[in-house]
């Protein structure tokens, strides 16, 4: 056995996968979780004879580590992490660890909004092109578990800022940065620059032989490029034709890389809206960089079904459309949703506030919202901002109550939009649970 001792904090998808890979590589492995470990992951650890503890940390076992793999959900301010830092033990992410044991091509996507859609779309293109590709990061199985048990030649990886925080030697063959708007500021000392710098870690270690794909019209990204000076070959996208690798007119989408050009009619894109045009551009450039044939890109951009809980149509009830956008956990995501709906809106928002500034959606809400329903344990910040600006505001403390109130407030031709701006953890297990409850409540009307 390798004498190095790997300790893994957190035993969800990321942590359990890292434990399996560490065990396979011959390390001494110990897993510690402050909460109860889900049965699926307990069985995984048991089946690989990995020592673990749950519902508490034994610090003597943790501080005996040669290296620690931290699950992305654990903040640095957690006492266990503070103890580890004080001992000078190196902390890495599961992605960093997995990257040591594979030579696969890494296509990595980050941004405040659109990550899951772009990651899913890119994976869809690569898979339809016949490539041996895995889906990892924030969606799919953990990268480490796939490297250990079902290795691929390519991985398309959705990366949050939390995952990027503890990546050091990992290098993306293709890095995509979609946008940077305020999010998770509670994890970054309420310092937007610190959060933006975390996003730019996606270009770490890249050279001119790798690709950096980014939205050229984002002022925060432009400032970040000046600050971080990417070494990769740069592929900007946006609406302007000059200097962008991908751009669009009213009718066509254009993508150009060093060796080829690709054109497609915009009406053929399966996912609609300005934000999804950008997502399609980013995925399309990544596919062209990897030399995927035009007809495969065209087919995949035309038949991609979209992502659950992201502007997902649920039903039309008595002439009112219900849309599930539970994945909108920050203000900018909600802005995109509001922009994409062209009817009067009854908007359901609220949850665990992460330092939100609602001024970004103020104009759209005042112009489009017939009514607001605040769904959360503490709605005081929402009331303080919106109470004098929208004529009808109601509170709800369960999803069924929120949907019932929306049903009573909406009129034929309206849209009831769940786009919460906030994390879900006050009333729900996660955003998926919130979205599933919304859909179930709508279908009971």
């Amino acid at each position: 056995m390798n004498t190095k001792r790997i300790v893994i904090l957190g035993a969800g998808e990321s942590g359990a996968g890292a434990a399996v890979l560490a065990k396979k590589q011959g390390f001494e492995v110990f897993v510690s979780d402050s909460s109860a470990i889900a049965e699926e992951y307990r069985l995984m650890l048991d089946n690989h004879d990995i020592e673990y503890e749950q519902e508490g940390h034994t610090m003597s076992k943790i501080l005996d580590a040669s290296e620690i793999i931290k699950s992305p959900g654990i903040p640095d301010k957690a006492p266990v992490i503070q103890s580890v830092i004080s001992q000078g033990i190196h902390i890495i992410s599961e992605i960093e660890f997995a990257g040591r044991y594979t030579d696969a091509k890494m296509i990595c996507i980050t941004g405040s909004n659109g990550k899951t859609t772009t990651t899913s779309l890119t994976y869809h293109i690569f898979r339809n092109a016949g490539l041996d590709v895995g889906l990892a990061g924030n969606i799919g199985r953990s990268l480490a578990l796939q490297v250990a048990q079902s290795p691929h030649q390519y991985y398309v990886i959705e990366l949050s800022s939390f995952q990027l925080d503890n990546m050091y030697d990992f290098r993306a063959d293709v890095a995509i940065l979609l946008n940077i708007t305020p999010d998770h500021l509670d994890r970054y000392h309420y310092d937007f620059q610190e959060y933006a710098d975390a996003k730019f870690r996606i270009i770490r270690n890249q050279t001119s032989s790798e690709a950096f794909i980014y939205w050229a019209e984002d002022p925060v990204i432009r400032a970040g490029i000046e600050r971080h000076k990417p070494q990769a070959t740069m592929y900007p996208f946006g609406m302007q034709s000059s200097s962008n690798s991908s751009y669009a007119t009213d009718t066509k989408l254009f993508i150009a890389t060093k060796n080829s050009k690709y054109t497609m009619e915009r009406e053929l894109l399966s996912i609609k809206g300005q934000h999804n045009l950008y997502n399609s551009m980013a995925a399309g450039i990544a596919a062209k960089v990897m030399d995927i044939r035009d007809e495969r890109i065209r087919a995949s951009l035309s038949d991609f079904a979209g992502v659950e809980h992201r502007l997902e149509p649920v039903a039309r009830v008595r002439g009112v459309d219900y849309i599930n956008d539970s994945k909108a956990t920050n203000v900018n995501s909600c802005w995109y949703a509001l922009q994409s709906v062209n009817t009067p809106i009854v908007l359901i928002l609220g949850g665990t506030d992460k330092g939100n500034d609602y001024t970004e959606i103020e104009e759209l809400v005042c112009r489009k919202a017939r009514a607001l329903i605040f769904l959360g344990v503490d709605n005081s910040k929402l009331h303080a901002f919106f109470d004098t600006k929208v004529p009808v505001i109601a509170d709800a403390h369960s999803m069924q109550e929120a949907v019932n109130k929306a049903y009573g407030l909406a009129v034929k031709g309206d849209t009831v939009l769940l786009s919460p701006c906030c994390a879900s953890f006050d009333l729900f297990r996660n955003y998926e649970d919130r979205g599933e409850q919304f859909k179930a409540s709508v279908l009971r009307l």
Side-chain angles (χ1 to χ4, degrees):
M1 174 177 279
N2 195 318
T3 55
K4 188 173 179 181
R5 175 176 166 85
I6 297 286
V7 170
I8 295 155
L9 297 176
E13 180 67 31
S14 167
V20 171
L21 178 58
K23 184 78 171 185
K24 182 178 181 181
Q25 294 299 323
F27 295 109
E28 180 187 346
V29 184
F30 177 64
V31 178
S32 179
D33 198 311
S34 63
S35 303
I37 300 173
E39 182 181 14
E40 173 189 0
Y41 301 122
R42 287 202 313 274
L43 289 171
M44 190 184 295
L45 298 173
D46 287 337
N47 289 341
H48 290 86
D49 196 27
I50 294 168
E51 183 186 0
Y52 64 88
E53 65 179 353
Q54 56 184 333
E55 299 188 83
H57 296 305
T58 303
M59 292 310 300
S60 59
K61 290 187 174 185
I62 291 170
L63 297 178
D64 192 32
S66 308
E67 191 168 46
I68 283 178
I69 301 170
K70 177 177 80 72
S71 293
I74 303 172
D76 284 348
K77 65 185 179 184
V80 63
I81 301 300
Q82 288 298 305
S83 297
V84 168
I85 291 170
S86 71
Q87 294 296 308
I89 303 169
H90 192 223
I91 302 173
I92 62 171
S93 70
E94 171 244 337
I95 304 291
E96 172 81 6
F97 183 66
R100 297 173 180 174
Y101 302 104
T102 175
D103 294 323
K105 295 288 187 184
M106 302 290 189
I107 296 86
C108 301
I109 295 111
T110 197
S112 302
N113 296 295
K115 291 189 297 296
T116 301
T117 298
T118 305
T119 303
S120 301
L121 177 54
T122 305
Y123 172 70
H124 180 68
I125 297 170
F126 279 51
R127 188 182 58 187
N128 284 358
L131 299 179
D132 174 20
V133 60
L135 180 68
N138 264 1
I139 53 176
R141 297 315 306 252
S142 86
L143 179 63
L145 188 68
Q146 292 182 66
V147 169
Q149 296 186 332
S150 57
H152 299 283
Q153 294 176 339
Y154 298 82
Y155 291 99
V156 180
I157 308 170
E158 177 187 331
L159 292 174
S160 70
S161 57
F162 303 159
Q163 288 162 314
L164 290 162
D165 282 336
N166 294 106
M167 288 165 58
Y168 303 96
D169 297 323
F170 182 94
R171 184 174 73 225
D173 294 277
V174 176
I176 298 175
L177 180 53
L178 296 166
N179 46 61
I180 304 176
T181 58
D183 195 11
H184 303 297
L185 296 187
D186 52 330
R187 283 278 291 262
Y188 293 96
H189 308 99
Y190 295 94
D191 182 343
F192 182 49
Q193 185 62 61
E194 189 179 332
Y195 170 68
D197 288 343
K199 288 295 190 188
F200 264 91
R201 290 178 73 90
I202 198 166
I203 64 170
R204 192 180 178 95
N205 305 310
Q206 283 194 308
T207 68
S208 59
S209 60
E210 284 88 42
F212 175 40
I213 300 166
Y214 63 93
W215 182 29
E217 291 151 10
D218 186 324
V220 181
I221 292 179
R222 288 202 302 270
I225 286 171
E226 291 296 314
R227 182 179 172 94
H228 296 280
K229 298 179 170 45
Q231 300 301 303
T233 300
M234 306 211 320
Y235 294 94
F237 63 88
M239 294 307 292
Q240 302 303 314
S241 61
S242 60
S243 76
N244 282 336
S245 297
S246 181
Y247 66 95
T249 65
D250 289 344
T251 58
K252 289 187 182 294
L253 170 67
F254 298 88
I255 295 173
T257 56
K258 284 190 291 188
N259 302 319
S260 65
K261 294 183 178 179
Y262 169 73
T263 305
M264 179 175 176
E265 296 74 18
R266 277 182 64 170
E267 65 181 21
L268 296 179
L269 296 172
S270 65
I271 49 176
K272 307 302 181 185
Q274 187 79 17
H275 56 296
N276 281 325
L277 177 61
Y278 293 142
N279 297 339
S280 297
M281 287 180 181
I285 297 171
K288 290 300 291 179
V289 166
M290 287 296 174
D291 295 321
I292 291 174
R293 295 172 62 172
D294 289 355
E295 58 265 31
R296 298 315 322 151
I297 298 174
R298 180 183 302 275
S300 298
L301 290 177
S302 300
D303 67 9
F304 179 63
V307 174
E308 191 177 17
H309 309 298
R310 191 73 185 102
L311 288 170
E312 177 191 10
V314 178
R316 177 173 290 173
V317 181
R318 293 193 174 181
V320 174
D321 289 325
Y322 289 77
I323 294 178
N324 169 28
D325 196 42
S326 182
K327 204 171 189 309
T329 59
N330 60 52
V331 177
N332 191 243
S333 285
C334 181
W335 183 90
Y336 280 115
L338 289 167
Q339 189 192 44
S340 71
V341 175
N342 295 318
T343 70
I345 296 169
V346 175
L347 176 64
I348 303 172
L349 71 166
T352 305
D353 188 287
K354 299 179 288 184
N356 289 347
D357 178 0
Y358 296 104
T359 53
E360 183 180 358
I361 60 170
E362 180 179 1
E363 188 274 331
L364 281 172
V365 167
C366 291
R367 179 157 52 88
K368 292 191 169 189
R370 178 185 304 285
L372 302 180
I373 297 171
F374 299 153
L375 173 62
V377 170
D378 180 5
N379 298 325
S380 55
K381 185 175 176 181
L382 288 164
H383 277 292
F385 188 86
F386 286 111
D387 270 1
T388 60
K389 296 164 184 167
V390 177
V392 179
I393 293 177
D395 287 274
H397 301 289
S398 72
M399 185 58 78
Q400 190 66 60
E401 182 185 6
V403 169
N404 288 347
K405 287 187 173 181
Y407 177 80
L409 291 167
V411 301
K412 186 175 181 179
D414 285 359
T415 298
V416 172
L417 173 66
L418 170 68
S419 192
C421 290
C422 300
S424 55
F425 305 121
D426 57 342
L427 291 173
F428 308 95
R429 292 194 306 276
N430 46 42
Y431 77 80
E432 294 96 337
D433 177 38
R434 178 168 62 190
E436 293 299 338
Q437 288 199 33
F438 176 75
K439 291 192 284 186
S441 297
V442 169
L443 295 176
R444 281 195 289 268
L445 290 176

